[in-house]
Amino acid sequence: MSDLPRARPSSLGAWLLAGTLLVASAWSFPYFARLGSPNELTRLYLARAVVDDGALSIDGPVARHGRLTDMASHDGRLYSDKAPGIGLLGAPVYALVKACAGWDTAAVSNELLLRLLRLLLAGVPLALAALILQRLLGRLGLGPGPRALIAWGYGLGSLAFPYGTLLYGHQAAAACLLGAWAALDRQRRDPRAGWPLLVGLLLGLSMLIEYTTLLLAAPLALHALLAFPRRGRDTLLALAGAVLPLGLLVAYQAACFGAPWATGYGALASPHYAEVHARGVLGLGAPSLGRLLAALFGTTRGLFFYAPWLALGLAGLVLGALRPRAGETRAGWLALSARSLLYLVFASSLEPEAWGWSLGPRHLVPLLPFWALAVGRLWLEAAGATRFTVRALVPYSIATCVLPTVVFGGFPPDFSNPLADFVAPLVAHGCAAPGVASALGLDPAWGLLPLGLALLGLGAWVIFSGGGSPGARLLAAALAAGLIVLAFTWTGPAEPREQRALEWVERDVLQCTDPIDDAFSAPRS
């Protein structure tokens, strides 16, 4: 983004950031056999099929481990309905684990394999994206404090965290796209290097992992072609890098669904989801302002309800495009703005039923590191106002993104305010997903105590570190605390379906109908 040399973040700070995010992503294990996790297991089944059966069809894993809702059917065979990247990347991981288990398939449970794949294909990309973001913020010209604050906010105070904990493709795709942007930035400073090869590889890999990232990768690729210092040579290198992932993608689709352009979404095995995706074009209807507002501001799944500080990134994008600083390019900010607009149009066109059980608008996750980068751009122009807003809203966002993840990992689409109507009652009754505590033989809810203390300390650091008057810091702390209390206590009208869903999850899924002790329980209404 900038041609000016910048100081690198300290190695200690970078290691602390990456290590903490990896530990946090592995702290809880929100997986429940009764529910399964179809969006994750369909990818895991593909990894198993490749290693156990030497096949792309998941018929074998389905026979051995049970059916899923997230499957496609073609010519009498069953396949994963998702983009194949995570499943294919998971295959060598599974092969290594299976080899260590003496090639005994039964010795590697779905739970064990899911833990490993989540850490390596979601947690590691989360940590890498945060490190790359911190470095890019330094390239913009931000000092160590703002860089660290925004990088920590991205890692724990945005939807990057829950999807850096679960085996979806969104966070891995986000890391690929941000890595491609960073490689392009390096190429501008070192035209003789082979960075375009990495740009092409990462852009292609993002589409192998998540189909919808085409809307983000295409504008970035166009910008790269125009920005390459040695356009002919660099373009050929980028195309060479993209050949492997895109070649795998079209070969997979041709082998599984009969044509290079065919995807599993055109052959869904679930009648309900087949009907949903048959509406419009693969489930996409005409753009709707109502859907867009729900995806950004709604209390059920709205991005800015869970991470309001990222709204500053929209202002940062506009500012960068209208008034680029010395060493920046207007074309770069315009490319980021165009990608954001395309993805927001996509979100406004997607059928709500296609989101499934999720925490927030998960399809927007690949956009988030770029909006966090744009928050840094705004910081350079309005440091005082941005500093106060980020300090007040990042602690709130950490609470609203981390706590729901470690309690259950997502929401049924039944709650007007899931934080108050779903998460808070579960915490009050001593309910939490399995994790480190349960691995030690303790009730899972005990894992909330050290995690809560760590997040409280991090929130205090966010608010009270760096510059600013004591009064402004206290006001930011009061605002953060007030917003957290409001988010977890404000409830909408009582709905019988919400109560039934809560009681079912508590009784049959989390199985925590009896409070563990007075410290973790509250009287039932």
Side-chain angles (χ1 to χ4, degrees):
M1 298 294 296
S2 170
D3 293 323
L4 302 176
R6 306 294 181 189
R8 295 182 177 180
S10 70
S11 297
L12 177 61
W15 281 110
L16 178 63
L17 174 65
T20 302
L21 292 179
L22 285 175
V23 170
S25 69
W27 186 263
S28 66
F29 183 62
Y31 170 73
F32 311 100
R34 179 178 176 85
L35 291 178
S37 182
N39 204 311
E40 296 183 284
L41 290 183
T42 190
R43 296 172 163 94
L44 183 146
Y45 276 20
L46 176 56
R48 282 193 179 275
V50 170
V51 175
D52 293 336
D53 308 313
L56 298 175
S57 166
I58 61 173
D59 285 337
V62 168
R64 292 186 290 270
H65 302 285
R67 291 183 65 86
L68 304 169
T69 56
D70 288 5
M71 297 187 298
S73 177
H74 182 73
D75 285 345
R77 307 293 299 273
L78 294 173
Y79 299 93
S80 171
D81 63 347
K82 309 300 181 189
I86 292 295
L88 296 178
L89 290 171
V93 177
Y94 173 45
L96 179 60
V97 175
K98 186 177 178 181
C100 293
W103 296 103
D104 181 4
T105 301
V108 185
S109 66
N110 282 343
E111 288 83 354
L112 173 61
L113 184 56
L114 187 58
R115 283 181 185 270
L116 293 173
L117 294 184
R118 280 179 172 180
L119 180 63
L120 294 175
L121 300 179
V124 169
L126 171 66
L128 288 175
L131 291 177
I132 295 169
L133 173 63
Q134 191 177 43
R135 189 168 294 272
L136 287 172
L137 289 166
R139 293 282 304 146
L140 281 180
L142 269 71
R147 289 201 302 263
L149 194 157
I150 293 173
W152 279 99
Y154 168 73
L156 291 173
S158 80
L159 297 183
F161 178 74
Y163 296 101
T165 303
L166 305 170
L167 191 66
Y168 291 66
H170 307 302
Q171 186 53 40
C176 289
L177 291 165
L178 190 65
W181 186 261
L184 178 60
D185 179 67
R186 288 294 299 268
Q187 177 66 12
R188 291 178 60 229
R189 292 179 284 128
D190 187 6
R192 294 171 298 176
W195 293 105
L197 189 70
L198 184 58
V199 171
L201 175 66
L202 291 175
L203 290 180
L205 188 58
S206 73
M207 289 184 279
L208 181 68
I209 291 171
E210 279 291 330
Y211 289 127
T212 56
T213 55
L214 171 64
L215 299 173
L216 301 179
L220 197 155
L222 178 60
H223 170 65
L225 294 179
L226 297 175
F228 281 145
R230 302 168 65 179
R231 190 167 299 170
R233 166 190 173 274
D234 293 346
T235 298
L236 289 176
L237 282 174
L239 291 174
V243 163
L244 176 61
L246 294 184
L248 282 174
L249 181 59
V250 298
Y252 173 86
Q253 293 175 167
C256 297
F257 307 115
W261 56 84
T263 72
Y265 290 104
L268 293 173
S270 165
H272 171 69
Y273 285 108
E275 190 275 329
V276 170
H277 283 273
R279 303 171 194 166
V281 180
L282 296 178
L284 298 177
S288 162
L289 179 60
R291 289 182 193 149
L292 179 61
L293 293 177
L296 293 180
F297 300 102
T299 54
T300 298
R301 287 188 175 130
L303 173 65
F304 298 143
F305 178 65
Y306 295 97
W309 68 279
L310 285 173
L312 296 172
L314 299 179
L317 289 175
V318 173
L319 185 63
L322 293 179
R323 198 166 64 201
R325 293 164 61 91
E328 294 179 354
T329 64
R330 176 175 279 110
W333 290 111
L334 287 174
L336 293 184
S337 300
R339 299 166 76 225
S340 299
L341 181 61
L342 282 174
Y343 231 51
L344 290 177
V345 171
F346 161 71
S348 73
S349 305
L350 189 63
E351 286 283 349
E353 292 175 84
W355 294 85
W357 286 33
S358 63
L359 199 167
R362 56 188 175 87
H363 294 91
L364 296 182
V365 168
L367 263 183
L368 303 188
F370 298 97
W371 286 6
L373 182 65
V375 172
R377 178 62 181 82
L378 186 66
W379 190 292
L380 295 172
E381 300 289 336
T386 307
R387 179 187 298 120
F388 175 82
T389 305
V390 170
R391 280 180 169 168
L393 296 184
V394 163
Y396 164 87
S397 301
I398 291 174
T400 57
C401 292
V402 174
L403 189 57
T405 303
V406 301
V407 169
F408 191 68
F411 307 129
D414 297 308
F415 297 91
S416 55
N417 177 7
L419 298 178
D421 297 330
F422 185 74
V423 176
L426 292 177
V427 173
H429 298 160
C431 301
V436 171
S438 53
L440 296 174
L442 303 172
D443 190 286
W446 282 106
L448 298 177
L449 182 60
L451 181 67
L453 292 174
L455 295 180
L456 185 64
L458 178 60
W461 172 80
V462 168
I463 291 172
F464 293 104
S465 66
S469 68
R473 297 180 194 179
L474 290 174
L475 182 59
L479 180 58
L483 289 173
I484 292 171
V485 170
L486 182 63
F488 284 92
T489 58
W490 174 79
T491 59
E495 293 283 352
R497 61 183 174 80
E498 294 185 2
Q499 188 62 29
R500 288 195 299 269
L502 174 63
E503 291 175 353
W504 176 71
V505 166
E506 186 174 352
R507 180 186 63 248
D508 295 338
V509 180
L510 289 171
Q511 298 181 343
C512 56
T513 53
D514 295 322
I516 57 173
D517 61 32
D518 292 340
F520 283 96
S521 64
R524 298 179 183 275
S525 56

